[in-house]
Amino acid sequence: MSEKRKITLKDIARELGISISTASRALNGYEGISDETIKLVKDFAEKHHYVPNLLAVNLRKNRTSNIGIIVPQIVHHFFSTVISGAIETAKKHGYNILVSQSGDLLKDEIIACRTMIGSSVDGLLISISNETIEGEHIREFLDEGKPVVQFDKITDHLETPKVIVDDFQGAYAAVTHLIDQGYKKIATIRGRLDVKNSIERYKGYEKAVKDHQLEFNSDWIITCKNISEEEGYEFARKLMESKNPPDAIFCITDPVALGAIKFLKSAGFEIPEQVGVVGFSNWELAEIVSPSLSSVDQHGYQMGIKATELLIRLLKDHSLGENETIEVKTNLIIRESSDLNFIGS
Amino acid sequence: MSEKRKITLKDIARELGISISTASRALNGYEGISDETIKLVKDFAEKHHYVPNLLAVNLRKNRTSNIGIIVPQIVHHFFSTVISGAIETAKKHGYNILVSQSGDLLKDEIIACRTMIGSSVDGLLISISNETIEGEHIREFLDEGKPVVQFDKITDHLETPKVIVDDFQGAYAAVTHLIDQGYKKIATIRGRLDVKNSIERYKGYEKAVKDHQLEFNSDWIITCKNISEEEGYEFARKLMESKNPPDAIFCITDPVALGAIKFLKSAGFEIPEQVGVVGFSNWELAEIVSPSLSSVDQHGYQMGIKATELLIRLLKDHSLGENETIEVKTNLIIRESSDLNFIGS
DNA sequence: CTGTTAGCGCGTTCAT
DNA sequence: ATGAACGCGCTAACAG
């Protein structure tokens, strides 16, 4: 409507018959300004709804007050949870969050990075795509003197602070839980051999099985590629139709577990009585499906907070070169798919 | 590492022995520059990885190249899908997306708005909270001369362009589908009486029932408040235990439908043979649950694209005052929960 | 076709 | 305690 012109420092200086710098200093609480003029200026500013032009401030200070975040997919329960945590934390410190996604494509991740550099975010939070190995495009950020924090899906080729979920411990806990329930022949449908999270989860599985002196059978280890529900269904079939079928399956992620459950149900296996199933990531679907799915929760919101706090600390200290890695503990959520004690209660 | 100082227009002007403005014009493809110097400048820029300082450009042009988007929840399948569409569209036009969430709290929506104004986004995409009625805080955007596009959850108190899903048509189609299937006593678990989407869906239900001369029974209309799975369960019970139980239920949203299904299953009703169920929004869960849930898809990705394109058009034309409303058609996805023809096939 | 001049709005010396 | 002057990096109006 009224299209009020935005009032500037210059305006308030002119109106009050003082200099621009005095006005600036008064507003920003500098030393050596009389209380009198401070009050004068502040009152005037308040009254006329003065709000500093961030563009100018930022140009002057050479920063943007923006933090970029790049994830493989936004439409994804875990990542949107992380973003949510990042936004709330950033807000608290006066930063905005600028979101982009790679679609798990290296090509698009590079574009997203370049755009971010171009639009000048002050720092970057990133969970890399499956295709990213070296991450040279991310190094460009570091070269610009801008801090980067990696989270969840990371690469060790980049010397940045990292916030990761303790996949090993999560998997170990999940499999140990299965063992505690009395399952003895535990299989795993694992993820790619070249993705760190996947490797760690597998290691956790292996160690738990061996620590408890259970049968360790390479036929019970199946590697999937798409990490899809279809694969879960197919590989569960393969496992159960083998000569020596397992009595429990630890799955790399919830959709895979869901596929496995679907096969098991269609083939007439009782869950959890005959076969126990545990997934990973605690997707929304875990408590919706029937039987509900035990899963390892990754505390996405916490990760978002931790990663953002870390980045903001770097932003404020300008003490780049830190390389700390925070491991967020996981939390096993036991539901019907593996809970024998729950039966009948 | 090398902390390369960023090269500026000034640098390239000095090195090439030309003026800054010539360099600027050459880079930006202005009229009246010799092809010779254009090539000279562009080559030099390319070679030294010149990238314009957006902060300066933006200050000069008085814009930010950022678009803000405020939604009730980011961790929500529909909204994250919209955001995803917005991001891809914005990217295409050289804009970044700055995300914030209100948590369906008016208080936090106001804060988000103020922050956005402060950090100077050029325009705003917003889906208002349940608590927002007048939207005075949004008007501040308009008063600044910045365009706003509302989507999905809107208020008519604000004269802005809007992109909405055709809730009426979606509901009408859903209920008509139930009728086509042969259901005769159709109930609805509807949403709040003061939320536009909810009202429209109810109207669609009512019209479909009346158009087909079916029994219209106020006992079959239940209003829920939280729009939660629990309410779905509870109200389905209430409906089915009444004297004159319905044979189909149209639910305001998928979680409610899921709750209803859970009750129906636990009470021994066959779905869809005895009772048909249709939800709204086509959440991820719809095809995961068993029986899979028929639902009205809202084309979130399309909405994100449409809303963003609309906003960018306003941004470029500076022709505020438009007030068009785009209705994105819905798409009924028929699954097991209402598909009698599918039985046995 | 190109250079000079003026800011955009602000923070920050260096004077006084 | 305050003002003048400068510059962040860039675009645009005005000369020539």
Side-chain angles (χ1 to χ4, degrees), chain A residues 19 21-38 42:
Chain A
S19 80
S21 35
T22 304
S24 169
R25 285 186 281 233
L27 256 3
N28 296 311
Y30 268 55
E31 310 268 312
I33 291 281
S34 72
D35 294 348
E36 194 180 2
T37 50
I38 288 186
K42 287 205 168 173

Side-chain angles (χ1 to χ4, degrees), chain A residues 252-259 279-283 285-286 293-296:
Chain A
I252 181 75
T253 188
D254 284 0
V256 173
L258 175 63
F280 209 107
S281 288
N282 194 30
W283 289 41
L285 66 87
L293 174 64
S294 298
S295 189
V296 178

